[in-house]
Amino acid sequence: MSGDSTRCVKAVAAEAHPGSPMQRGPVFAAPYQLSADEGTESDTYARASNPGWRDLESALATLEGASGALVVGSGMSAVTVAVRTLLTAGDTVIVPADGYYQVRAYARERWEPMGITVHEVTTSDMASESTAALLASAEGTTVVVAETPANPSLDVVDLRALSQRCRDAGAVLVVDNTTATPLGQQPLELGADVVVASGTKALSGHSDLLMGYIAVSDAEFLAGMERERALSGTVLGPFETWLAHRSLGTAGLRFERQCANASAVADLVAAHPAAQRVRYPGLASDPSHAVASGQMRRFGGLVSFELGSAEQFHRFVAGSELLVSATSFGGIHTTADRRARWGDAVPDGFVRLSCGIEDTDDLLTDVERALSRV
């Protein structure tokens, strides 16, 4: 397999035609001109298709090792479009109890009132015997939504083991690959049925757009989710499509630096007396390290740890010259997010640090200085 940067550059490369631009620009259109030979057009209306989508979807499918991909308006759209396509009243969905909190909120507020049974299971228990028993007793079709590494806990589930549990029970496994990206792991290769992700984060990487995608290798799943996207209108605009496609070419370079920075920062923070309960799958001491090492090519750009209080968090950020207090992650700037403010069940001083692409030595100096002022 080629290296990550080569994969990214090849994935976004346009077909060579002398005199044509090396990269297609955004295509701004709502309706397209139609032919008298009805049904022959690739594009009719922008809610159904767009040439920019096809370029981006082809690149994403290549990186995820999928037969097809769909782009949607956000990472949450990716989750909801995928699961809505798979489930109806009387079915069951399992969601991570320690993953992205909005997925749990959507499950409780939208899926439960539709007659779908919702169970929350921690990432560390997803592949356990207790989950196997839950799958065996579940009513109707069952969908398992796993996020690994989970956001913000950074726990990792053994995807090979979980996919076998799902196959044994006839369940569908949907894996949120946002934190790892396809440059860090390929869930379809590890047994998942569907991959969903927020491309807002490291893949687009410049903190300037919202985008989600779904990647599958099952043609029936892909067709159903494409139909759901068209009917629900959860589409991606042409400018955001172009921005994401343009940015994807440098994702390998950016993610490599982010992962290197995260590894170095995790080592630093783990040895610092101001920080407690440091989590990073790349740390040999991390509870998820053994599983992560068996399925991840890179361990990602996120590090989590705890400070003593919300006040200490704010002193940490104020003591830095490089850190930006912001939610989301995966951008070129290193950001710190106090996750308790958004409703995650974490201590007030819990920090999710998203490492950017700054020079590693500069970032380490800055983080150490900020911790010393806590």
Side-chain angles (χ1 to χ4, degrees), residues 12 23 69 82 95-96 101 109 123 136 139 148 162 181 212 219 221 247 272 358:
V12 301
Q23 298 290 346
V95 297
Y101 74 106
E109 294 175 23
T123 298
E139 297 292 330
T148 183
L162 178 58
T181 84
F221 283 171
S247 299
H272 201 285
E358 300 90 351

Side-chain angles (χ1 to χ4, degrees), residues 12 16 44 76 94 122 140 175 254 267 298 319 357 360:
V12 301
T44 59
M76 278 299 298
I94 296 173
T122 61
V175 175
R254 289 184 282 101
D267 286 336
R298 296 184 186 276
I357 64 169
T360 304

Side-chain angles (χ1 to χ4, degrees), residues 24-28 50 52-53 55-57 60 71-74 199-200 203-212 235-248:
R24 193 201 318 251
V27 179
F28 296 108
N50 178 292
W53 289 1
D55 290 343
L56 181 55
E57 288 169 346
L60 292 167
V71 292
V72 290
S74 68
T200 305
L203 287 187
S204 59
H206 290 80
S207 308
D208 56 6
L209 65 91
L210 291 179
M211 186 266 282
V235 298
L236 189 63
F239 187 68
E240 289 79 6
T241 300
W242 173 74
L243 277 177
H245 188 263
R246 181 208 60 177
S247 299
L248 194 58

Side-chain angles (χ1 to χ4, degrees), residues 47-49 53 57 69-70 81 85 214 219-232:
R47 183 164 51 82
S49 61
W53 289 1
E57 288 169 346
L70 297 173
V81 165
T85 304
I214 303 165
E220 186 176 348
F221 283 171
L222 184 67
M225 291 169 191
E226 187 170 18
R227 178 65 171 162
E228 174 63 24
R229 177 181 66 180
L231 290 175
S232 63

Side-chain angles (χ1 to χ4, degrees), residues 253-255 257-258 261 331-334 355-359:
L253 278 171
R254 289 184 282 101
F255 195 62
R257 174 60 67 82
Q258 289 166 338
N261 280 349
I332 61 172
H333 306 93
T334 295
C355 293
I357 64 169
E358 300 90 351
D359 289 294

Side-chain angles (χ1 to χ4, degrees), residues 128-142:
S128 69
E129 292 284 353
S130 60
T131 299
L134 178 59
L135 289 170
S137 65
E139 297 292 330
T141 299
T142 301

